[in-house]
PDB file of all heavy atoms in Angstrom:
ATOM      1  N   PHE A 257      -2.276   8.733   7.223  1.00 97.00           N
ATOM      2  CA  PHE A 257      -2.995   9.816   6.545  1.00 97.00           C
ATOM      3  C   PHE A 257      -2.678  11.124   7.255  1.00 97.00           C
ATOM      4  O   PHE A 257      -2.949  11.256   8.447  1.00 97.00           O
ATOM      5  CB  PHE A 257      -4.502   9.547   6.587  1.00 97.00           C
ATOM      6  CG  PHE A 257      -4.879   8.251   5.913  1.00 97.00           C
ATOM      7  CD1 PHE A 257      -4.968   7.068   6.642  1.00 97.00           C
ATOM      8  CD2 PHE A 257      -5.113   8.207   4.550  1.00 97.00           C
ATOM      9  CE1 PHE A 257      -5.291   5.862   6.014  1.00 97.00           C
ATOM     10  CE2 PHE A 257      -5.436   7.012   3.915  1.00 97.00           C
ATOM     11  CZ  PHE A 257      -5.529   5.842   4.650  1.00 97.00           C
ATOM     12  N   MET A 271     -12.831   2.567   9.368  1.00 94.00           N
ATOM     13  CA  MET A 271     -11.569   1.860   9.610  1.00 94.00           C
ATOM     14  C   MET A 271     -11.191   2.020  11.084  1.00 94.00           C
ATOM     15  O   MET A 271     -10.301   2.806  11.428  1.00 94.00           O
ATOM     16  CB  MET A 271     -10.461   2.432   8.715  1.00 94.00           C
ATOM     17  CG  MET A 271     -10.756   2.260   7.233  1.00 94.00           C
ATOM     18  SD  MET A 271      -9.560   3.108   6.189  1.00 94.00           S
ATOM     19  CE  MET A 271      -8.124   2.079   6.429  1.00 94.00           C
ATOM     20  N   LEU A 298       3.777   4.479   4.683  1.00 98.00           N
ATOM     21  CA  LEU A 298       3.284   4.936   3.383  1.00 98.00           C
ATOM     22  C   LEU A 298       2.405   6.156   3.663  1.00 98.00           C
ATOM     23  O   LEU A 298       1.427   6.056   4.413  1.00 98.00           O
ATOM     24  CB  LEU A 298       2.443   3.837   2.722  1.00 98.00           C
ATOM     25  CG  LEU A 298       1.695   4.224   1.456  1.00 98.00           C
ATOM     26  CD1 LEU A 298       2.670   4.512   0.311  1.00 98.00           C
ATOM     27  CD2 LEU A 298       0.723   3.112   1.036  1.00 98.00           C
ATOM     28  N   PHE A 300      -0.149   9.297   2.868  1.00 98.00           N
ATOM     29  CA  PHE A 300      -1.217   9.871   2.042  1.00 98.00           C
ATOM     30  C   PHE A 300      -1.520  11.260   2.584  1.00 98.00           C
ATOM     31  O   PHE A 300      -1.606  11.441   3.802  1.00 98.00           O
ATOM     32  CB  PHE A 300      -2.501   9.036   2.155  1.00 98.00           C
ATOM     33  CG  PHE A 300      -2.390   7.672   1.554  1.00 98.00           C
ATOM     34  CD1 PHE A 300      -2.092   6.570   2.345  1.00 98.00           C
ATOM     35  CD2 PHE A 300      -2.606   7.471   0.196  1.00 98.00           C
ATOM     36  CE1 PHE A 300      -2.002   5.298   1.794  1.00 98.00           C
ATOM     37  CE2 PHE A 300      -2.519   6.208  -0.367  1.00 98.00           C
ATOM     38  CZ  PHE A 300      -2.210   5.119   0.438  1.00 98.00           C
ATOM     39  N   ASP A 339       2.630   7.779  -1.387  1.00 98.00           N
ATOM     40  CA  ASP A 339       1.670   7.442  -2.431  1.00 98.00           C
ATOM     41  C   ASP A 339       1.598   8.646  -3.370  1.00 98.00           C
ATOM     42  O   ASP A 339       1.388   9.772  -2.927  1.00 98.00           O
ATOM     43  CB  ASP A 339       0.299   7.178  -1.803  1.00 98.00           C
ATOM     44  CG  ASP A 339      -0.731   6.728  -2.814  1.00 98.00           C
ATOM     45  OD1 ASP A 339      -1.372   7.605  -3.437  1.00 98.00           O
ATOM     46  OD2 ASP A 339      -0.910   5.514  -2.982  1.00 98.00           O
ATOM     47  N   CYS A 341      -0.465  10.153  -6.349  1.00 97.00           N
ATOM     48  CA  CYS A 341      -1.724  10.080  -7.092  1.00 97.00           C
ATOM     49  C   CYS A 341      -2.381  11.445  -6.996  1.00 97.00           C
ATOM     50  O   CYS A 341      -1.987  12.265  -6.177  1.00 97.00           O
ATOM     51  CB  CYS A 341      -2.630   9.010  -6.493  1.00 97.00           C
ATOM     52  SG  CYS A 341      -3.980   8.547  -7.604  1.00 97.00           S
ATOM     53  N   CYS A 343      -5.943  11.686  -6.855  1.00 95.00           N
ATOM     54  CA  CYS A 343      -7.353  11.602  -6.417  1.00 95.00           C
ATOM     55  C   CYS A 343      -7.621  12.282  -5.082  1.00 95.00           C
ATOM     56  O   CYS A 343      -8.719  12.781  -4.861  1.00 95.00           O
ATOM     57  CB  CYS A 343      -7.837  10.157  -6.404  1.00 95.00           C
ATOM     58  SG  CYS A 343      -6.949   9.095  -5.259  1.00 95.00           S
ATOM     59  N   GLU A 344      -6.644  12.337  -4.205  1.00 95.00           N
ATOM     60  CA  GLU A 344      -6.874  13.046  -2.939  1.00 95.00           C
ATOM     61  C   GLU A 344      -6.848  14.561  -3.144  1.00 95.00           C
ATOM     62  O   GLU A 344      -7.301  15.304  -2.286  1.00 95.00           O
ATOM     63  CB  GLU A 344      -5.783  12.723  -1.910  1.00 95.00           C
ATOM     64  CG  GLU A 344      -5.678  11.276  -1.492  1.00 95.00           C
ATOM     65  CD  GLU A 344      -4.382  10.662  -1.989  1.00 95.00           C
ATOM     66  OE1 GLU A 344      -4.412  10.126  -3.128  1.00 95.00           O
ATOM     67  OE2 GLU A 344      -3.361  10.709  -1.294  1.00 95.00           O
ATOM     68  N   CYS A 351      -8.069  10.132 -10.522  1.00 95.00           N
ATOM     69  CA  CYS A 351      -6.621  10.035 -10.327  1.00 95.00           C
ATOM     70  C   CYS A 351      -5.827  10.805 -11.377  1.00 95.00           C
ATOM     71  O   CYS A 351      -4.607  10.625 -11.487  1.00 95.00           O
ATOM     72  CB  CYS A 351      -6.213   8.574 -10.290  1.00 95.00           C
ATOM     73  SG  CYS A 351      -7.056   7.645  -8.993  1.00 95.00           S
ATOM     74  N   SER A 386       0.196   5.371  -7.634  1.00 97.00           N
ATOM     75  CA  SER A 386      -0.978   4.495  -7.514  1.00 97.00           C
ATOM     76  C   SER A 386      -2.086   4.856  -8.488  1.00 97.00           C
ATOM     77  O   SER A 386      -3.196   4.377  -8.381  1.00 97.00           O
ATOM     78  CB  SER A 386      -1.524   4.545  -6.089  1.00 97.00           C
ATOM     79  OG  SER A 386      -2.129   5.789  -5.828  1.00 97.00           O
ATOM     80  N   ASP A 387      -1.760   5.705  -9.466  1.00 96.00           N
ATOM     81  CA  ASP A 387      -2.785   6.282 -10.353  1.00 96.00           C
ATOM     82  C   ASP A 387      -3.221   5.351 -11.483  1.00 96.00           C
ATOM     83  O   ASP A 387      -4.311   5.474 -12.012  1.00 96.00           O
ATOM     84  CB  ASP A 387      -2.194   7.529 -10.978  1.00 96.00           C
ATOM     85  CG  ASP A 387      -0.849   7.175 -11.602  1.00 96.00           C
ATOM     86  OD1 ASP A 387       0.134   7.045 -10.840  1.00 96.00           O
ATOM     87  OD2 ASP A 387      -0.792   6.950 -12.819  1.00 96.00           O
ATOM     88  N   TYR A 413       2.460   0.767  -8.094  1.00 98.00           N
ATOM     89  CA  TYR A 413       1.235  -0.010  -7.922  1.00 98.00           C
ATOM     90  C   TYR A 413       0.987  -0.555  -9.327  1.00 98.00           C
ATOM     91  O   TYR A 413       0.303   0.052 -10.135  1.00 98.00           O
ATOM     92  CB  TYR A 413       0.071   0.886  -7.546  1.00 98.00           C
ATOM     93  CG  TYR A 413      -0.004   1.432  -6.130  1.00 98.00           C
ATOM     94  CD1 TYR A 413       0.895   2.392  -5.671  1.00 98.00           C
ATOM     95  CD2 TYR A 413      -1.041   1.044  -5.277  1.00 98.00           C
ATOM     96  CE1 TYR A 413       0.770   2.925  -4.393  1.00 98.00           C
ATOM     97  CE2 TYR A 413      -1.173   1.587  -4.001  1.00 98.00           C
ATOM     98  CZ  TYR A 413      -0.259   2.520  -3.564  1.00 98.00           C
ATOM     99  OH  TYR A 413      -0.392   3.059  -2.318  1.00 98.00           O
ATOM    100  N   LYS A 416      -2.997  -3.008 -10.065  1.00 98.00           N
ATOM    101  CA  LYS A 416      -3.982  -2.449  -9.130  1.00 98.00           C
ATOM    102  C   LYS A 416      -5.360  -2.614  -9.741  1.00 98.00           C
ATOM    103  O   LYS A 416      -5.640  -2.099 -10.818  1.00 98.00           O
ATOM    104  CB  LYS A 416      -3.670  -0.977  -8.891  1.00 98.00           C
ATOM    105  CG  LYS A 416      -4.721  -0.279  -8.031  1.00 98.00           C
ATOM    106  CD  LYS A 416      -4.291   1.120  -7.652  1.00 98.00           C
ATOM    107  CE  LYS A 416      -5.378   1.824  -6.871  1.00 98.00           C
ATOM    108  NZ  LYS A 416      -4.953   3.157  -6.414  1.00 98.00           N
ATOM    109  N   PHE A 421     -13.130  -3.020  -2.779  1.00 97.00           N
ATOM    110  CA  PHE A 421     -12.351  -3.153  -1.547  1.00 97.00           C
ATOM    111  C   PHE A 421     -11.707  -1.846  -1.075  1.00 97.00           C
ATOM    112  O   PHE A 421     -11.143  -1.793   0.002  1.00 97.00           O
ATOM    113  CB  PHE A 421     -11.289  -4.248  -1.705  1.00 97.00           C
ATOM    114  CG  PHE A 421     -11.819  -5.622  -1.446  1.00 97.00           C
ATOM    115  CD1 PHE A 421     -12.254  -6.426  -2.485  1.00 97.00           C
ATOM    116  CD2 PHE A 421     -11.916  -6.108  -0.148  1.00 97.00           C
ATOM    117  CE1 PHE A 421     -12.757  -7.690  -2.243  1.00 97.00           C
ATOM    118  CE2 PHE A 421     -12.420  -7.378   0.111  1.00 97.00           C
ATOM    119  CZ  PHE A 421     -12.843  -8.177  -0.945  1.00 97.00           C
ATOM    120  N   TYR A 422     -11.755  -0.805  -1.901  1.00 96.00           N
ATOM    121  CA  TYR A 422     -11.164   0.477  -1.477  1.00 96.00           C
ATOM    122  C   TYR A 422     -12.189   1.392  -0.812  1.00 96.00           C
ATOM    123  O   TYR A 422     -11.875   2.539  -0.500  1.00 96.00           O
ATOM    124  CB  TYR A 422     -10.547   1.232  -2.662  1.00 96.00           C
ATOM    125  CG  TYR A 422      -9.632   0.400  -3.537  1.00 96.00           C
ATOM    126  CD1 TYR A 422      -9.632   0.552  -4.916  1.00 96.00           C
ATOM    127  CD2 TYR A 422      -8.759  -0.521  -2.977  1.00 96.00           C
ATOM    128  CE1 TYR A 422      -8.792  -0.202  -5.730  1.00 96.00           C
ATOM    129  CE2 TYR A 422      -7.922  -1.286  -3.782  1.00 96.00           C
ATOM    130  CZ  TYR A 422      -7.944  -1.126  -5.154  1.00 96.00           C
ATOM    131  OH  TYR A 422      -7.122  -1.873  -5.948  1.00 96.00           O
ATOM    132  N   GLY A 423     -13.391   0.901  -0.612  1.00 94.00           N
ATOM    133  CA  GLY A 423     -14.472   1.740  -0.074  1.00 94.00           C
ATOM    134  C   GLY A 423     -14.093   2.545   1.162  1.00 94.00           C
ATOM    135  O   GLY A 423     -14.165   3.779   1.155  1.00 94.00           O
ATOM    136  N   PRO A 424     -13.651   1.882   2.249  1.00 94.00           N
ATOM    137  CA  PRO A 424     -13.345   2.636   3.468  1.00 94.00           C
ATOM    138  C   PRO A 424     -12.217   3.656   3.272  1.00 94.00           C
ATOM    139  O   PRO A 424     -12.236   4.726   3.864  1.00 94.00           O
ATOM    140  CB  PRO A 424     -12.932   1.550   4.467  1.00 94.00           C
ATOM    141  CG  PRO A 424     -13.570   0.292   3.953  1.00 94.00           C
ATOM    142  CD  PRO A 424     -13.552   0.430   2.457  1.00 94.00           C
ATOM    143  N   PHE A 425     -11.260   3.324   2.428  1.00 92.00           N
ATOM    144  CA  PHE A 425     -10.129   4.241   2.179  1.00 92.00           C
ATOM    145  C   PHE A 425     -10.617   5.580   1.647  1.00 92.00           C
ATOM    146  O   PHE A 425     -10.066   6.630   1.963  1.00 92.00           O
ATOM    147  CB  PHE A 425      -9.177   3.623   1.158  1.00 92.00           C
ATOM    148  CG  PHE A 425      -8.081   4.549   0.682  1.00 92.00           C
ATOM    149  CD1 PHE A 425      -6.856   4.573   1.325  1.00 92.00           C
ATOM    150  CD2 PHE A 425      -8.283   5.407  -0.390  1.00 92.00           C
ATOM    151  CE1 PHE A 425      -5.846   5.414   0.889  1.00 92.00           C
ATOM    152  CE2 PHE A 425      -7.285   6.257  -0.825  1.00 92.00           C
ATOM    153  CZ  PHE A 425      -6.058   6.263  -0.188  1.00 92.00           C
ATOM    154  N   ARG A 426     -11.658   5.531   0.826  1.00 88.00           N
ATOM    155  CA  ARG A 426     -12.097   6.783   0.196  1.00 88.00           C
ATOM    156  C   ARG A 426     -12.676   7.737   1.220  1.00 88.00           C
ATOM    157  O   ARG A 426     -12.643   8.942   1.020  1.00 88.00           O
ATOM    158  CB  ARG A 426     -13.027   6.477  -0.965  1.00 88.00           C
ATOM    159  CG  ARG A 426     -12.211   5.787  -2.068  1.00 88.00           C
ATOM    160  CD  ARG A 426     -12.971   5.446  -3.301  1.00 88.00           C
ATOM    161  NE  ARG A 426     -12.085   4.694  -4.191  1.00 88.00           N
ATOM    162  CZ  ARG A 426     -12.487   3.947  -5.203  1.00 88.00           C
ATOM    163  NH1 ARG A 426     -13.781   3.877  -5.479  1.00 88.00           N
ATOM    164  NH2 ARG A 426     -11.623   3.304  -5.938  1.00 88.00           N
ATOM    165  N   SER A 431     -11.433  10.806  -1.120  1.00 87.00           N
ATOM    166  CA  SER A 431     -11.068  10.755  -2.538  1.00 87.00           C
ATOM    167  C   SER A 431     -12.086  10.005  -3.407  1.00 87.00           C
ATOM    168  O   SER A 431     -11.727   9.438  -4.428  1.00 87.00           O
ATOM    169  CB  SER A 431      -9.694  10.086  -2.678  1.00 87.00           C
ATOM    170  OG  SER A 431      -9.760   8.742  -2.219  1.00 87.00           O
ATOM    171  N   PRO A 433     -14.566   9.341  -6.239  1.00 91.00           N
ATOM    172  CA  PRO A 433     -14.828  10.030  -7.509  1.00 91.00           C
ATOM    173  C   PRO A 433     -16.225  10.649  -7.511  1.00 91.00           C
ATOM    174  O   PRO A 433     -17.178  10.014  -7.070  1.00 91.00           O
ATOM    175  CB  PRO A 433     -14.728   8.918  -8.561  1.00 91.00           C
ATOM    176  CG  PRO A 433     -14.190   7.723  -7.880  1.00 91.00           C
ATOM    177  CD  PRO A 433     -14.312   7.910  -6.409  1.00 91.00           C
ATOM    178  N   ARG A 438     -13.382   4.064 -11.407  1.00 94.00           N
ATOM    179  CA  ARG A 438     -11.994   4.014 -11.853  1.00 94.00           C
ATOM    180  C   ARG A 438     -11.728   2.878 -12.846  1.00 94.00           C
ATOM    181  O   ARG A 438     -10.588   2.483 -13.056  1.00 94.00           O
ATOM    182  CB  ARG A 438     -11.075   3.835 -10.636  1.00 94.00           C
ATOM    183  CG  ARG A 438     -11.238   4.902  -9.561  1.00 94.00           C
ATOM    184  CD  ARG A 438      -9.930   5.113  -8.825  1.00 94.00           C
ATOM    185  NE  ARG A 438     -10.054   5.737  -7.515  1.00 94.00           N
ATOM    186  CZ  ARG A 438     -10.382   7.004  -7.315  1.00 94.00           C
ATOM    187  NH1 ARG A 438     -10.675   7.798  -8.329  1.00 94.00           N
ATOM    188  NH2 ARG A 438     -10.441   7.485  -6.090  1.00 94.00           N
ATOM    189  N   GLN A 442      -7.985   1.502 -13.644  1.00 97.00           N
ATOM    190  CA  GLN A 442      -7.555   0.377 -12.827  1.00 97.00           C
ATOM    191  C   GLN A 442      -8.013  -0.927 -13.486  1.00 97.00           C
ATOM    192  O   GLN A 442      -8.913  -0.933 -14.326  1.00 97.00           O
ATOM    193  CB  GLN A 442      -8.127   0.509 -11.414  1.00 97.00           C
ATOM    194  CG  GLN A 442      -7.630   1.783 -10.717  1.00 97.00           C
ATOM    195  CD  GLN A 442      -8.167   1.967  -9.312  1.00 97.00           C
ATOM    196  OE1 GLN A 442      -9.018   1.195  -8.868  1.00 97.00           O
ATOM    197  NE2 GLN A 442      -7.688   2.993  -8.629  1.00 97.00           N
ATOM    198  N   LYS A 469      -2.445  -5.178  -5.714  1.00 98.00           N
ATOM    199  CA  LYS A 469      -3.425  -4.570  -4.807  1.00 98.00           C
ATOM    200  C   LYS A 469      -4.827  -4.751  -5.349  1.00 98.00           C
ATOM    201  O   LYS A 469      -5.025  -4.508  -6.537  1.00 98.00           O
ATOM    202  CB  LYS A 469      -3.084  -3.081  -4.716  1.00 98.00           C
ATOM    203  CG  LYS A 469      -4.043  -2.270  -3.898  1.00 98.00           C
ATOM    204  CD  LYS A 469      -3.671  -0.828  -3.972  1.00 98.00           C
ATOM    205  CE  LYS A 469      -4.799  -0.050  -3.357  1.00 98.00           C
ATOM    206  NZ  LYS A 469      -4.746   1.345  -3.658  1.00 98.00           N
ATOM    207  N   TYR A 492      -0.690  -4.946  -1.052  1.00 98.00           N
ATOM    208  CA  TYR A 492      -1.425  -4.011  -0.201  1.00 98.00           C
ATOM    209  C   TYR A 492      -2.701  -4.672   0.294  1.00 98.00           C
ATOM    210  O   TYR A 492      -3.602  -4.939  -0.490  1.00 98.00           O
ATOM    211  CB  TYR A 492      -1.762  -2.753  -1.013  1.00 98.00           C
ATOM    212  CG  TYR A 492      -2.111  -1.513  -0.210  1.00 98.00           C
ATOM    213  CD1 TYR A 492      -1.746  -0.249  -0.683  1.00 98.00           C
ATOM    214  CD2 TYR A 492      -2.792  -1.574   0.992  1.00 98.00           C
ATOM    215  CE1 TYR A 492      -2.051   0.915   0.022  1.00 98.00           C
ATOM    216  CE2 TYR A 492      -3.094  -0.413   1.707  1.00 98.00           C
ATOM    217  CZ  TYR A 492      -2.727   0.818   1.219  1.00 98.00           C
ATOM    218  OH  TYR A 492      -3.032   1.971   1.912  1.00 98.00           O
ATOM    219  N   GLN A 493      -2.716  -4.963   1.605  1.00 98.00           N
ATOM    220  CA  GLN A 493      -3.947  -5.442   2.234  1.00 98.00           C
ATOM    221  C   GLN A 493      -4.798  -4.191   2.481  1.00 98.00           C
ATOM    222  O   GLN A 493      -4.524  -3.414   3.393  1.00 98.00           O
ATOM    223  CB  GLN A 493      -3.616  -6.150   3.554  1.00 98.00           C
ATOM    224  CG  GLN A 493      -4.835  -6.746   4.233  1.00 98.00           C
ATOM    225  CD  GLN A 493      -4.473  -7.424   5.542  1.00 98.00           C
ATOM    226  OE1 GLN A 493      -3.769  -6.852   6.380  1.00 98.00           O
ATOM    227  NE2 GLN A 493      -4.934  -8.649   5.734  1.00 98.00           N
ATOM    228  N   VAL A 494      -5.783  -3.987   1.634  1.00 98.00           N
ATOM    229  CA  VAL A 494      -6.435  -2.675   1.576  1.00 98.00           C
ATOM    230  C   VAL A 494      -7.514  -2.490   2.636  1.00 98.00           C
ATOM    231  O   VAL A 494      -7.852  -3.408   3.385  1.00 98.00           O
ATOM    232  CB  VAL A 494      -6.999  -2.390   0.162  1.00 98.00           C
ATOM    233  CG1 VAL A 494      -5.888  -2.418  -0.879  1.00 98.00           C
ATOM    234  CG2 VAL A 494      -8.123  -3.359  -0.182  1.00 98.00           C
ATOM    235  N   SER A 495      -8.062  -1.278   2.617  1.00 97.00           N
ATOM    236  CA  SER A 495      -9.015  -0.851   3.646  1.00 97.00           C
ATOM    237  C   SER A 495     -10.193  -1.812   3.800  1.00 97.00           C
ATOM    238  O   SER A 495     -10.611  -2.105   4.918  1.00 97.00           O
ATOM    239  CB  SER A 495      -9.509   0.554   3.321  1.00 97.00           C
ATOM    240  OG  SER A 495     -10.073   0.605   2.020  1.00 97.00           O
ATOM    241  N   GLY A 496     -10.732  -2.321   2.711  1.00 97.00           N
ATOM    242  CA  GLY A 496     -11.887  -3.205   2.801  1.00 97.00           C
ATOM    243  C   GLY A 496     -11.533  -4.552   3.433  1.00 97.00           C
ATOM    244  O   GLY A 496     -12.316  -5.128   4.195  1.00 97.00           O
ATOM    245  N   TYR A 534      -2.884  -2.024   7.398  1.00 98.00           N
ATOM    246  CA  TYR A 534      -3.338  -1.233   8.543  1.00 98.00           C
ATOM    247  C   TYR A 534      -3.176  -2.011   9.839  1.00 98.00           C
ATOM    248  O   TYR A 534      -3.382  -1.474  10.920  1.00 98.00           O
ATOM    249  CB  TYR A 534      -4.799  -0.811   8.332  1.00 98.00           C
ATOM    250  CG  TYR A 534      -4.968  -0.027   7.045  1.00 98.00           C
ATOM    251  CD1 TYR A 534      -5.416  -0.648   5.875  1.00 98.00           C
ATOM    252  CD2 TYR A 534      -4.602   1.317   6.983  1.00 98.00           C
ATOM    253  CE1 TYR A 534      -5.521   0.047   4.684  1.00 98.00           C
ATOM    254  CE2 TYR A 534      -4.703   2.021   5.789  1.00 98.00           C
ATOM    255  CZ  TYR A 534      -5.162   1.376   4.645  1.00 98.00           C
ATOM    256  OH  TYR A 534      -5.246   2.074   3.468  1.00 98.00           O
TER     257      TYR A 534
HETATM  258  C1  PBG B 900      -5.099   6.290  -4.574  1.00 79.19           C
HETATM  259  C2  PBG B 900      -5.136   5.083  -3.720  1.00 79.19           C
HETATM  260  C3  PBG B 900      -6.227   4.305  -3.320  1.00 79.19           C
HETATM  261  C4  PBG B 900      -5.732   3.361  -2.421  1.00 79.19           C
HETATM  262  C5  PBG B 900      -4.359   3.557  -2.335  1.00 79.19           C
HETATM  263  N1  PBG B 900      -4.006   4.612  -3.154  1.00 79.19           N
HETATM  264  C6  PBG B 900      -7.673   4.434  -3.621  1.00 79.19           C
HETATM  265  C7  PBG B 900      -8.220   4.195  -4.959  1.00 79.19           C
HETATM  266  O1  PBG B 900      -7.528   3.842  -5.905  1.00 79.19           O
HETATM  267  O2  PBG B 900      -9.425   4.408  -5.088  1.00 79.19           O
HETATM  268  C8  PBG B 900      -6.558   2.336  -1.696  1.00 79.19           C
HETATM  269  C9  PBG B 900      -6.021   1.887  -0.380  1.00 79.19           C
HETATM  270  C10 PBG B 900      -6.995   1.178   0.490  1.00 79.19           C
HETATM  271  O3  PBG B 900      -8.146   0.876   0.136  1.00 79.19           O
HETATM  272  O4  PBG B 900      -6.596   0.863   1.626  1.00 79.19           O
HETATM  273  N2  PBG B 900      -5.394   6.090  -5.925  1.00 79.19           N
END
Side-chain angles (χ1 to χ4, degrees):
F257 300 92
M271 298 173 71
L298 172 67
F300 293 96
D339 184 274
C341 196
C343 62
E344 298 112 270
C351 302
S386 71
D387 52 283
Y413 285 70
K416 175 172 177 176
F421 276 95
Y422 311 141
F425 172 92
R426 292 181 185 162
S431 63
R438 304 210 200 289
Q442 298 180 354
K469 176 184 170 195
Y492 199 146
Q493 183 181 49
V494 301
S495 56
Y534 303 98

